[in-house]
Amino acid sequence: MRMVDVISKKRNGEELTKQEINFVIEGYTNGTIPDYQMSALAMAIYFKDMTTNERVHLTMAMVESGDQIDLSAIEGIKVDKHSTGGVGDTTTLILAPLVASVGVPVAKMSGRGLGHTGGTIDKLESIKGFEVELDGNTFSTLVNKNKIAVVGQSGNLTPADKKLYGLRDVTATVNSIPLIASSIMSKKIASGADAIVLDVKMGSGAFMEDIEGARELAQAMVQIGNGAGRNTIAVISDMNQPLGFAIGNALEVKEAIDTLRGEGPADLHELCLTLGSQMVYLAGKAQTIEEAREQLEAAIKSGAAIEKFKTFIASQGGDASVVDNPSELPTASYTIEVEAKEDGYISEIVANEIGIAASILGAGRTTKDSEIDLAVGLILNKKVGDKVTKGESLVTIHSNYESVSDVIEKIYQSYKIRQKVVETNPLVYDIIQE
Ligand code: URA
Ligand code: CA
């Protein structure tokens, strides 16, 4: 087989076979296919698209390019959740103990990652003593016993995706539905998930800015998942403002604690119940979505959810007393209020700009090796639809620097204020099952 023939076949809009896709991915991973040929193929895919069969073959070829996590020692159906981007997304921290508290096994592998705030692993490390490096045996024992454990990423998962993603980044081929969908799904499948719940964000802070694009991406991922034998559902949710109030690592842990007690922000609470009920349903712990939702609501109300969070922290060496005393979490030296310059209604909070503001404070990483300041971040005092009067606080900055003029500037750029009453967007636009 010759790569040039595969490229011209795709350029002509024909469907590639499983053998051809495997040839490409194996060759590209081991270096026998050079970047320039892979670039040409990525561009051909960008213009000519891929059929569902091709997308499944591409995903599975990337899964097989590296290590695959074996979760077979863990009892039950392992459901994983993935959010496509978003700023200040605390859902994993809430969903993991929440669904575990109704008996769904959560065997979560999580990254640190680059971003405006840290990954789930960084957030958990704001809890004193919390250990994110567990050997495989301890990990599966903990999940079987408590239904929950979270471990830092290890192993060489989907090297083909790493290499291809890097190439796409510099060849203007990132924004291709078959390539995005196979990239995301390959990582979920390689991490050992039996079933997958996707949270596809839509809006100014997301990959997809409109409902058509979001629906197309969601459908692509659901079809790949189902085609690969993993029951998959996608929720399309709003990202025209950050979720919840908190953006920052320790601040989000505090917000997760509030939400697990039923005292969190309404949007975060609602999205966690929506995603959580899909997870419980896919795990076979409820006959219907409604029944799943009732179980989760009951777990919050009875205190089972927050108790599960304590068990989870303690079983990984962390100091679970922070749950009852969140003031023990790292705190910043200064709090600074950002006041509204005019009266009106909040019409949008550009998530990306707010994310940059948090990252300037040190809440996120700019390079793989940079240090995160776990204490710093932002609390949004006003959200879309809220009325605001001049001088009221829009945002509270938690900072370890006294001077934050550049952060304040970003916050003003992010907050759009209008004179008319603003209608809020729905939180959940659609749920895609096939
Ligand atoms: N996230 C991924 O992991 N891959 C993509 O291609 C896009 C977003
Ligand atoms: Ca948040």
Side-chain angles (χ1 to χ4, degrees):
M1 208 179 287
R2 297 191 315 158
M3 182 64 173
V4 63
D5 300 325
V6 177
I7 297 170
S8 64
K9 192 173 175 188
K10 181 44 62 183
R11 184 205 60 200
N12 296 341
E14 290 172 51
E15 184 177 42
L16 302 179
T17 64
K18 182 175 178 188
Q19 288 70 28
E20 285 164 336
I21 291 172
N22 284 344
F23 164 79
V24 169
I25 295 303
E26 279 168 27
Y28 186 55
T29 309
N30 68 29
T32 54
I33 292 172
D35 279 346
Y36 53 82
Q37 284 189 309
M38 195 64 205
S39 306
L41 182 62
M43 191 57 87
I45 293 170
Y46 181 95
F47 282 111
K48 296 294 180 176
D49 206 344
M50 286 182 126
T51 64
T52 300
N53 279 336
E54 287 178 299
R55 294 171 182 192
V56 173
H57 297 322
L58 175 59
T59 303
M60 292 314 290
M62 294 202 290
V63 169
E64 285 154 16
S65 71
D67 297 342
Q68 295 174 57
I69 307 296
D70 178 6
L71 298 178
S72 60
I74 296 166
E75 299 141 20
I77 300 172
K78 277 74 72 181
V79 187
D80 202 355
K81 185 228 61 159
H82 178 80
S83 294
T84 65
V87 173
D89 192 337
T90 322
T91 53
T92 300
L93 217 48
I94 298 160
L95 281 169
L98 179 58
V99 304
S101 75
V102 304
V104 175
V106 177
K108 182 89 186 158
M109 202 189 231
S110 214
R112 292 178 193 280
L114 294 172
H116 302 309
T117 62
T120 300
I121 288 291
D122 298 298
K123 291 168 193 170
L124 288 167
E125 278 184 339
S126 64
I127 298 169
K128 210 171 5 175
F130 195 94
E131 183 51 70
V132 297
E133 275 158 39
L134 306 173
D135 65 70
N137 197 18
T138 309
F139 181 62
S140 42
T141 305
L142 282 179
V143 183
N144 283 334
K145 181 163 164 246
N146 299 326
K147 295 292 167 205
I148 178 170
V150 176
V151 68
Q153 225 135 46
S154 62
N156 180 29
L157 299 192
T158 60
D161 172 64
K162 274 197 198 85
K163 207 169 165 190
L164 181 55
Y165 199 11
L167 186 72
R168 287 164 54 210
D169 210 20
V170 293
T171 56
T173 50
V174 168
N175 226 331
S176 150
I177 295 229
L179 295 177
I180 297 173
S182 57
S183 166
I184 292 173
M185 292 304 287
S186 69
K187 284 175 277 213
K188 290 287 117 182
I189 294 171
S191 309
D194 299 318
I196 300 159
V197 174
L198 299 160
D199 176 17
V200 177
K201 305 286 193 190
M202 183 200 118
S204 59
F207 252 102
M208 295 297 161
E209 297 205 2
D210 58 41
I211 187 70
E212 289 75 28
R215 213 173 258 139
E216 209 188 321
L217 177 60
Q219 247 153 15
M221 291 193 286
V222 168
Q223 285 168 0
I224 289 171
N226 292 336
R230 271 71 169 182
N231 226 336
T232 304
I233 287 178
V235 172
I236 300 178
S237 71
D238 185 62
M239 201 18 89
N240 284 302
Q241 63 176 332
L243 200 57
F245 302 130
I247 300 157
N249 298 282
L251 294 171
E252 288 183 37
V253 172
K254 164 77 166 63
E255 184 167 70
I257 293 168
D258 292 343
T259 307
L260 286 164
R261 288 190 194 285
E263 295 159 5
D267 59 349
L268 185 57
H269 172 87
E270 179 54 34
L271 187 61
C272 286
L273 283 177
T274 303
L275 295 170
S277 1
Q278 300 290 344
M279 292 172 78
V280 172
Y281 175 71
L282 286 188
K285 294 282 171 189
Q287 298 304 313
T288 62
I289 301 291
E290 293 70 31
E291 190 194 313
R293 191 180 169 108
E294 281 163 20
Q295 288 181 18
L296 296 175
E297 281 170 347
I300 291 175
K301 205 157 175 208
S302 71
I306 195 75
E307 281 310 311
K308 183 58 77 179
F309 194 46
K310 288 184 191 171
T311 306
F312 160 55
I313 293 170
S315 70
Q316 292 193 219
D319 177 4
S321 72
V322 296
V323 174
D324 293 319
N325 304 297
S327 59
E328 288 171 16
L329 288 166
T331 49
S333 310
Y334 307 98
T335 55
I336 301 133
E337 304 300 332
V338 182
E339 294 170 359
K341 291 180 189 167
E342 57 185 325
D343 296 352
Y345 298 85
I346 312 296
S347 65
E348 190 182 349
I349 305 172
V350 182
N352 203 39
E353 299 287 330
I354 277 283
I356 294 169
S359 114
I360 298 171
L361 290 167
R365 275 188 193 84
T366 43
T367 68
K368 227 164 55 184
D369 305 313
S370 55
E371 287 256 334
I372 279 188
D373 188 339
L374 295 167
V376 303
L378 308 169
I379 297 290
L380 311 183
N381 300 315
K382 295 285 176 186
K383 300 251 328 205
V384 170
D386 287 351
K387 188 173 194 294
V388 63
T389 48
K390 190 178 168 190
E392 258 189 300
S393 174
L394 297 172
V395 172
T396 306
I397 299 173
H398 292 246
S399 174
N400 281 324
Y401 309 114
E402 203 168 354
S403 161
V404 287
S405 51
D406 45 351
V407 177
I408 293 173
E409 197 46 49
K410 276 283 163 211
I411 292 169
Y412 282 132
Q413 283 168 15
S414 165
Y415 267 78
K416 311 288 181 212
I417 298 180
R418 268 204 266 153
Q419 302 320 310
K420 291 196 315 253
V421 174
V422 172
E423 262 190 58
T424 54
N425 290 316
L427 179 65
V428 172
Y429 294 98
D430 205 353
I431 294 179
I432 307 286
Q433 308 202 47
E434 59 190 327

